[in-house]
Amino acid sequence: MARTGKPFAAAALAVGIAFMTTPAASAGGYSKRCPAESVCRVEGHDFPGGTLSIDADAIGGPNTRVRIRYKGDHAQRCVAEFWVNDPPRSWVCHNTHPGHYRVIVDAPERHDALVVGARW
């Protein structure tokens, strides 16, 4: 008869957690909600380089264009635009340099909030 119980369950859980956390160990990112501001900015210094995913959403207000841009230590990259009434949007920037980064969302008119995030 096979043994079941707490030691078996604890070992299975530990193995499952080890496999689940390994890929996430290199993942990182930041997000920010900016209420009723015309510019929302997320900055960081620990970006390892490579592929950067950018997420943005503008909530409420007139349906105007919103501009999102990524700036690293080595110039501006990944400029995109979307409408305030669009659903949340995501973009991917490839071959980005490691180090300091800034993700900036500019909304030209009043709105309820801007949400911006950078992840890798």
Side-chain angles (χ1 to χ4, degrees), residues 25-55:
S26 63
Y30 301 94
S31 64
K32 183 177 182 182
R33 180 182 174 101
C34 303
E37 297 174 13
S38 60
V39 176
C40 190
R41 176 187 312 235
V42 171
E43 293 192 55
H45 298 282
D46 55 355
F47 177 56
T51 301
L52 179 70
S53 296
I54 300 172
D55 307 306

Side-chain angles (χ1 to χ4, degrees), residues 27-117:
Y30 301 94
S31 64
K32 183 177 182 182
R33 180 182 174 101
C34 303
E37 297 174 13
S38 60
V39 176
C40 190
R41 176 187 312 235
V42 171
E43 293 192 55
H45 298 282
D46 55 355
F47 177 56
T51 301
L52 179 70
S53 296
I54 300 172
D55 307 306
D57 191 16
I59 303 162
N63 194 22
T64 56
R65 300 283 293 168
V66 177
R67 185 171 192 239
I68 185 167
R69 51 202 159 108
Y70 159 76
K71 294 174 122 181
D73 285 334
H74 303 283
Q76 180 170 298
R77 301 171 64 112
C78 289
V79 177
E81 292 186 345
F82 64 100
W83 292 93
V84 168
N85 291 336
D86 284 351
R89 305 292 298 264
S90 294
W91 295 267
V92 178
C93 300
H94 298 284
N95 302 317
T96 54
H97 296 281
H100 185 81
Y101 68 90
R102 292 174 298 285
V103 176
I104 304 163
V105 179
D106 298 307
E109 295 188 27
R110 298 288 295 173
H111 51 276
D112 295 336
L114 287 173
V115 180
V116 61

Side-chain angles (χ1 to χ4, degrees), residues 11-12 23 35 119:
R119 57 191 163 85

